[in-house]
Amino acid sequence: MSYVESPCILVCSIDMKTGYCFGCGRTGDEIAGWLTFTPGQRREVMDSLPARLETIERKPRRETRRQKMARERAGS
């Protein structure tokens, strides 16, 4: 089995405005077809990812249960 380079950072969520993944910047179609792409196609996509990620409006992560409990304790 050969190694396939991937930009995936396991933050898989698509920005509805741009259609790009918040984690890696790929589109859903690119993610789905990644293993079938040639190395050249993958490199072409990877070269475009930094510019794509700049177009995504980063939203703060949702508050976790642990953070909420700590905030509530601090407010008591």
Side-chain angles (χ1 to χ4, degrees):
M1 180 176 217
S2 63
Y3 171 78
V4 175
E5 184 179 22
S6 173
C8 183
I9 61 168
L10 303 177
V11 176
C12 304
S13 183
I14 301 293
D15 175 35
M16 298 309 286
K17 185 176 176 184
T18 63
Y20 301 141
C21 173
F22 283 104
C24 69
R26 293 179 293 172
T27 66
D29 288 341
E30 289 167 344
I31 293 168
W34 195 251
L35 294 177
T36 64
F37 286 10
T38 66
Q41 289 171 313
R42 286 194 292 269
R43 175 55 33 210
E44 189 175 312
V45 171
M46 289 186 66
D47 288 345
S48 70
L49 298 181
R52 289 182 184 185
L53 288 169
E54 290 294 320
T55 68
I56 298 173
E57 212 176 290
R58 300 285 181 175
K59 295 181 182 163
R61 293 185 130 176
R62 66 182 175 92
E63 184 177 43
T64 65
R65 184 169 160 235
R66 180 176 291 176
Q67 290 168 329
K68 181 179 177 182
M69 289 170 55
R71 181 179 47 80
E72 290 173 348
R73 273 194 304 266
S76 303

